[in-house]
Amino acid sequence: MYGLYRELRIGAGRGVFQRGLPVAPFRHALTVLKIEHFTWLDFELGWQRFAAHHWLIIRLSNLYYAYGHQVITFGVVALIVLKAPWRDALRWVSGLFLQLPVALLCFAIYPLMPPRLLDGGPPWGGRVLETHRRLRPIGFTDTLAKMPGPWSPKPVGVGEFTNQFAAMPSLHCAFAMWVGVVWWQWAKGKSWRPLGFVHTAVTFWCVLVTGNHFVLDALVGWTLALGALAFAGRLTRRLGDRPQWEQGSSNRIPAMSSTSQ
């Protein structure tokens, strides 16, 4: 299912280049920056500039961004499928996968250029559009490219298309919130119960410091995760509230009276 989502995610971004430069994602990014500035949420650039003075923080953030997202998420999926009661596992896993179609719809309707591409050159970046609109460079850095390592993605050309503008919502943050909530519910009474929310917080830090998401992307991702979990919980409760005769009870047919009517 996740592999299918990745293929559809690529398809959601192909229309961006039908008109040449990525005007819509760039314009949407400027809108997000204005909203964040108005609501005092525009602190991602300050975080990145702070981390830039500490190369170890940047490298660890790159590593966690590249691997923590999938490894920890699907590790928790495997754990709850193997260990949790089936009804709980069904509710929690459904809450994860219900995020994917909603995210795909958002990627298609609202393509968003991530911070790391705003000052980048063509074909993916917005530097040409900044120059055209006489804007100063915004100042974000692509840390995965500036400090390359075994986790750094290879350069992508238009011929090898990938959706670079699937930033709203942040599924890194949505999946991390899912991990926090599910881990909290599954590990009741355990001292390591808060570890899931530690992963949520670390992921939030990493997506901002690496320049891959805006704060608003993370907030929308968290909202998506909580909404999907709530919806999945409602569905599974309705399934559990079926009449007893629908659940295969041996007494599902009342005994017939032998008295004639």
Side-chain angles (χ1 to χ4, degrees):
M1 290 180 67
Y2 187 71
L4 176 63
Y5 151 75
R6 294 187 67 176
E7 292 301 318
L8 293 175
R9 176 177 178 266
I10 292 173
R14 290 190 181 277
V16 171
F17 286 95
Q18 290 180 352
R19 294 183 299 273
L21 294 172
V23 177
F26 180 77
R27 185 174 63 246
H28 293 159
L30 296 183
T31 301
V32 168
L33 283 172
K34 290 179 181 178
I35 294 173
E36 289 189 351
H37 181 72
F38 180 76
T39 55
W40 296 75
L41 292 173
D42 55 337
F43 52 81
E44 54 270 270
L45 183 57
W47 282 18
Q48 189 182 69
R49 286 176 174 172
F50 165 79
H53 297 290
H54 307 277
W55 67 269
L56 182 59
I57 293 178
I58 289 291
R59 288 192 178 276
L60 290 176
S61 299
N62 287 348
L63 184 63
Y64 202 89
Y65 175 83
Y67 290 113
H69 170 53
Q70 294 183 1
V71 171
I72 293 179
T73 300
F74 293 119
V76 173
V77 169
L79 183 64
I80 65 174
V81 168
L82 293 173
K83 298 291 186 180
W86 175 245
R87 183 175 175 180
D88 290 340
L90 176 63
R91 180 175 80 249
W92 292 335
V93 175
S94 298
L96 179 68
F97 284 106
L98 282 173
Q99 299 176 32
L100 301 183
V102 179
L104 287 171
L105 182 63
C106 293
F107 298 157
I109 294 175
Y110 199 82
L112 177 66
M113 185 175 290
R116 61 183 176 83
L117 292 179
L118 288 174
D119 296 335
W124 309 106
R127 186 65 197 128
V128 174
L129 298 170
E130 284 181 339
T131 304
H132 177 71
R133 298 185 62 171
R134 298 180 180 178
L135 298 175
R136 294 180 179 179
I138 296 173
F140 286 102
T141 301
D142 187 346
T143 63
L144 288 170
K146 186 175 181 179
M147 291 189 173
W151 51 80
S152 299
K154 296 179 180 179
V156 179
V158 178
E160 300 176 359
F161 190 86
T162 182
N163 191 353
Q164 298 280 327
F165 309 122
M168 174 73 79
S170 167
L171 281 190
H172 271 73
C173 289
F175 281 18
M177 176 60 74
W178 177 89
V179 168
V181 173
V182 169
W183 192 264
W184 182 267
Q185 293 180 342
W186 182 76
K188 288 181 180 179
K190 305 294 184 181
S191 60
W192 33 263
R193 194 180 184 189
L195 285 179
F197 287 113
V198 172
H199 169 65
T200 306
V202 172
T203 301
F204 178 64
W205 163 268
C206 291
V207 300
L208 299 189
V209 167
T210 58
N212 279 279
H213 286 286
F214 297 99
V215 174
L216 205 59
D217 303 341
L219 296 180
V220 175
W222 290 344
T223 303
L224 172 61
L226 296 174
L229 280 167
F231 185 72
R234 186 176 182 86
L235 284 179
T236 52
R237 281 195 300 271
R238 288 178 65 88
L239 290 174
D241 291 340
R242 291 182 303 170
Q244 190 177 10
W245 62 268
E246 283 189 341
Q247 301 180 29
S249 171
S250 59
N251 298 321
R252 59 188 177 188
I253 302 177
M256 297 294 292
S257 173
S258 59
T259 306
S260 59
Q261 303 295 323

